[in-house]
Structure formats: structure tokens, C-alpha cells
Amino acid sequence: MPFRLTMTSLAGLLLLTACGSSPEATFSRGCDAMMKRQDGVNDEERKTFCTCLSDGTSSLSDEDRKTLGILMKEGKADEDIRIGLQGASDEGELSVTGAGIFLQKSMSCSLTMVL
């Protein structure tokens, strides 16, 4: 059965990670986990992408960065992350601006890695 990130599970994850974890640490761990799932990405490329994405989303609120970190860590595929972004935006757990900036910077950082 494919992994589905539901709003109930997202809310539970947010509650579990809300204590004792900084937004930057959550974002960093999430990006790292997401990139480790990608085939053919070495450590240097992973670090480059995650630094690029972190720098590009640094203006987002702490709440948005923490939510994005959780989505990246828990989403097993790109589609799961996109569904999670939409759901988190619909539920008010992630700003629409935050979701848009994340998607834009993800594409931009991916292109930087390829070039």
C-alpha cells in the first residue's frame, strides 16, 4: 500500500516534533532524508542541494520551515510531498507563500545541481 500523508498523521507529526527541535534542524534533517532517498545523489550533491534550498527558503517563518522539514522527511516520493504541501496549505499549517517558495527553490536548486 503506498504511503499517504494524511492531515491526521501530519498533525501528529507536528505535535511530536514541536518539542525540542528547532525549525532549522527539522528542515535540515528533512532535506537530508529526502535527498538520501534519491538514486544517484552523492553526499556532495546532497549537501549542495540542501544548502541551496535552506538559503532560498530562509525568509520563511519558523512554522513554515518546520512543516516543510517534516514533509520532506516523511514523504516517500515527490508526489507524497506535493500532496502534503497542498494539504498543509489547506489546513493552515503552511502558508501558500511558503509552499510556493519551496517549490520554486526546489526546482531552482535541482537545476543548479544538474548544471
Side-chain angles (χ1 to χ4, degrees), residues 48-98:
T48 299
F49 177 84
C50 288
T51 299
C52 177
L53 188 59
S54 181
D55 291 349
T57 59
S58 63
S59 65
L60 297 179
S61 70
D62 286 350
E63 189 174 313
D64 277 356
R65 289 180 58 79
K66 191 168 236 179
T67 300
L68 289 167
I70 292 167
L71 290 172
M72 287 186 289
K73 184 176 182 187
E74 298 301 323
K76 302 300 181 198
D78 291 345
E79 184 63 22
D80 293 333
I81 295 170
R82 282 191 291 274
I83 290 168
L85 286 171
Q86 181 64 50
S89 292
D90 290 347
E91 296 294 320
E93 296 167 344
L94 175 65
S95 70
V96 174
T97 301

Side-chain angles (χ1 to χ4, degrees), residues 5-115:
L5 187 63
T6 64
M7 285 306 99
T8 303
S9 64
L10 179 60
L13 289 169
L14 287 171
L15 287 174
L16 287 173
T17 59
C19 300
S21 183
S22 73
E24 183 57 39
T26 302
F27 187 90
S28 179
R29 282 192 305 274
C31 187
D32 192 56
M34 177 180 71
M35 292 306 290
K36 284 182 178 178
R37 290 190 301 268
Q38 303 298 316
D39 292 331
V41 175
N42 64 37
D43 285 345
E44 183 178 329
E45 292 169 327
R46 177 177 45 81
K47 288 176 189 172
T48 299
F49 177 84
C50 288
T51 299
C52 177
L53 188 59
S54 181
D55 291 349
T57 59
S58 63
S59 65
L60 297 179
S61 70
D62 286 350
E63 189 174 313
D64 277 356
R65 289 180 58 79
K66 191 168 236 179
T67 300
L68 289 167
I70 292 167
L71 290 172
M72 287 186 289
K73 184 176 182 187
E74 298 301 323
K76 302 300 181 198
D78 291 345
E79 184 63 22
D80 293 333
I81 295 170
R82 282 191 291 274
I83 290 168
L85 286 171
Q86 181 64 50
S89 292
D90 290 347
E91 296 294 320
E93 296 167 344
L94 175 65
S95 70
V96 174
T97 301
I101 288 172
F102 175 78
L103 289 171
Q104 178 187 18
K105 295 302 177 182
S106 293
M107 288 187 285
S108 173
C109 294
S110 294
L111 287 173
T112 301
M113 277 180 47
V114 172
L115 301 175

